[in-house]
Amino acid sequence: MIRVLLADDEAMIRSALAALLRLEDDIEIVAECADGEEAVAEAIRLQPDVCLLDLEMPGLDGVEVAARLRRALPTRCVVVTRHARPGVLRRALASGVAGFLPKSRDAEEVAEVIRRVAAGGRYVDPEVAADALSDERCPLTGRELDVLRAGRRGETTAQIARALSLAPGTVRNHVSAVLGKLGLESRQQAVILAEERGWI
């Protein structure tokens, strides 16, 4: 049996997918989690073969969960998303995600991806992969993206500085560089653009 942890903050989608996957003879759903923090804790406790993670969850998103689990245990992760943006795919693959597919796929296809990943393979939805190859590269540095990520919920410069162990002036310099590169006027505009393009 392939032991699967399922994490999605939308209860109806989570329970429906779990019910459909339980119809498969070789898949056992060992946990259903409502957010990223719960998914990390339950995965460490249960050590499933595969974690099926929604990308858009409160707190930790699916890619962040996968990155944490990669450091802690051999569980393989598949990320599903409603908005398969190319930048997110690149971030997911860099975090060690073994599978990436849109939520529009039916349960049988999801089960096949789980099997492939559990057997040591990888799967990236072909349409998402094609979009990723044609998408423009992110012009921001890793540290500039860290600053946007740390301030995505409206945190102050001082809060971002504390979170990243930087001086407030350094944070302001990074924000200024981001706005210059993107041709924008505010940090919030930069956060929105970076999220839309899947850079953060």
Side-chain angles (χ1 to χ4, degrees):
M1 292 291 280
I2 302 168
R3 300 171 69 252
V4 176
L5 176 146
L6 182 58
D8 194 313
D9 61 317
E10 295 181 71
M12 191 166 71
I13 290 175
R14 183 177 69 243
S15 57
L17 184 55
L20 290 168
L21 289 174
R22 282 189 175 104
L23 298 175
E24 302 291 328
D25 293 337
D26 57 344
I27 293 176
E28 177 189 3
I29 303 298
V30 296
E32 295 178 46
C33 304
D35 60 53
E37 294 286 356
E38 183 186 1
V40 170
E42 286 295 279
I44 289 171
R45 184 175 74 84
L46 297 167
Q47 305 215 351
D49 301 306
V50 175
C51 289
L52 188 63
L53 309 166
D54 181 26
L55 175 66
E56 298 93 2
M57 291 188 288
L60 297 175
D61 70 20
V63 173
E64 291 165 329
V65 171
R68 287 200 187 184
L69 294 180
R70 181 186 191 188
R71 295 190 293 267
L73 46 131
T75 295
R76 310 209 67 215
C77 294
V78 175
V79 169
V80 295
T81 180
R82 185 172 284 118
H83 308 291
R85 298 183 302 270
V88 175
L89 172 61
R90 285 194 290 272
R91 190 164 66 91
L93 295 176
S95 298
V97 168
F100 193 92
L101 67 159
K103 278 189 173 179
S104 57
R105 299 296 175 254
D106 63 35
E108 285 182 12
E109 289 177 271
V110 175
E112 280 305 316
V113 171
I114 289 170
R115 290 183 188 103
R116 180 185 296 195
V117 165
R122 298 179 84 180
Y123 177 84
V124 175
D125 179 78
E127 288 176 31
V128 177
D131 287 346
L133 290 171
S134 63
D135 191 52
E136 65 183 281
R137 302 296 297 178
C138 175
L140 307 180
T141 66
R143 191 44 115 181
E144 289 164 354
L145 292 171
D146 287 342
V147 167
L148 289 184
R149 206 173 283 121
R152 73 197 306 175
R153 293 177 180 85
E155 289 84 351
T156 65
T157 298
Q159 289 171 319
I160 295 170
R162 274 196 303 278
L164 299 176
S165 300
L166 296 173
T170 303
V171 171
R172 282 192 286 275
N173 289 342
H174 283 308
V175 171
S176 178
V178 166
L179 298 181
K181 287 178 181 179
L182 301 180
L184 299 172
E185 294 179 7
S186 74
R187 180 164 51 94
Q188 196 53 41
Q189 288 175 328
V191 167
I192 291 167
L193 179 67
E195 287 179 337
E196 284 175 352
R197 298 201 176 166
W199 298 339
I200 60 172

